[in-house]
Amino acid sequence: MSFAKIYTRGLLGLHAPLIEVEVHVSQGLPSLTIVGLAEAAVRESKDRVRSAIINSGFQFPTKRLTINLAPADLPKDGSRLDLPIALGILIASGQLPDNITDNFEFIGELALDGHLRPVTGTLTIAMACQLAKHQLLLPQDNAEEAAQLPEFKVFAASHLKQVCDHLANTHKIKATLEPKVNAQKNYKFDLVDVKGQLRPRRALEIAAAGGHSILFKGPPGTGKTLLASRLPSILPPLTAQENLEVASIYSIANTQHSFGQRPFRAPHHTASAIALVGGGSHPKPGEITLAHFGILFLDELPEFDRKVLEVLRQPLESKEIVISRASRQIAFPANFQLVAAMNPCPCGYAFNQDNRCQCTAEAIKRYQNRISGPLLDRIDLHIDVPPLKAQELQDTKPVETSETVRERVIQAYQLQMQRQGYLNQGLTPQQLEVHALLDQTSTKMITLAQQRLNLSARAYHRVLRVARTIADLAQSHEIQSMHLSEALSYRSNET
């Protein structure tokens, strides 16, 4: 047979479109031509494939080889096409039987000696294969990642010769089983480390229960970063589908991540806008996508470039980021929980009782104005974190652990899932009219508060969402005046 077709996958954002590798062997001067919008790493595969085939004990055809990567209008990048190209050449040249790859898809980079090297995006590709009801053959080093999909057959090999023996029924490869993931989560930090700070602890619990964004404000050393780092320990566990979604993102980004753990991303304040939201000539996920279903922690918020912070405004509302290029648009999920921390002034000690601050009123105003009003308006909870006294730090009375708080958070989470199917931070204004009904007293209260605090329509709805979460934590079906009063107190000290 002089023609062969092998199935593989490309990567386009978080999608893995099917690619057909068509190989045709014809008479003529020895040559190898790759067509189909192949980029540099794919075009260079001809040299890797030639050496791998020869070093695996096969003959490289001394004829005219034409390789087409279909569809022709889809850009192909990366080295994952090495293995399907090599198999296509071997089948088209008659060294392997035909019609043996119909239910298989192949990915893998080839070393010059024929060994298979790992590639990125394995889990995304495996999910697409599962939907297509195909089996996947891939490098051994990628097997554990792809096998995280339940009820999906993954065949892992370490050498091109091993793949050929499997296809020729000479020596079959055993399918890799789904790995056992430890359901017990070991959290690095615990709320028991936080001394005092009862109001910030309460706000952190509310943020965890409803998925709300939160801003900690206070002088240096009061525990703002300490509180933020404890948030993952009180969040509900990820569902199986959320686990796979997060793992798929980290597979695309080629970044290490503990399966089953909520992401916690804390970029430095020198990060660029592209690092934060993603991008590049071949768009890759940014920090907000890597924080999907987890936390994005921005410490020293005013030290970030203002233009960098402004790119967060749209993802905070839409929960995704769309990166546009001349040829295509790619959407990345960005359902993250924003946690930020800031000092009140450049030196950090404004409004402190010890009068250490030497900043002028103009300097304080200029520092706080680095954060735009529209961005602050999108943050649900604004919390002051005051300095602690020595007696509070020396207090040895037992405090609530993360496990205790997490139990209450999970109960509130389950109430929201039963009522609307998602967290309160995602409630639309129309849904708030159904799920956040106010009695006459509460209606008067929020009307008066909107006038005095000059709340925007967005802030008004965010107060209602927070009040709904506070009511859920209290296992209350209705929002009572005390729930609304507490929610309003978290907006009364906006910068």
Side-chain angles (χ1 to χ4, degrees), residues 34-53:
I34 298 179
V35 297
L37 213 57
E39 299 186 4
V42 181
R43 293 195 301 270
E44 291 172 354
S45 67
K46 60 177 72 174
D47 298 314
R48 295 192 296 271
V49 168
R50 184 193 304 271
S51 297
I53 287 177

Side-chain angles (χ1 to χ4, degrees), residues 320-388:
E320 70 171 4
I321 181 70
V322 179
I323 300 173
S324 298
R325 292 293 179 265
S327 58
R328 59 190 181 275
Q329 285 188 336
I330 295 178
F332 290 115
N335 188 7
F336 62 94
Q337 189 169 353
L338 176 63
V339 180
M342 62 175 286
N343 297 324
C345 69
C347 77
Y349 296 101
F351 317 118
N352 216 17
Q353 294 180 355
D354 56 11
N355 298 320
R356 269 188 288 177
C357 179
Q358 300 299 317
C359 301
T360 64
E362 182 63 28
I364 294 174
K365 182 179 180 181
R366 188 166 54 249
Y367 182 78
Q368 294 183 349
N369 284 344
R370 292 181 184 179
I371 309 169
S372 69
L375 180 59
L376 284 173
D377 203 40
R378 286 170 166 83
I379 299 178
D380 299 325
L381 305 166
H382 298 248
I383 310 300
D384 284 326
V385 185
L388 292 173

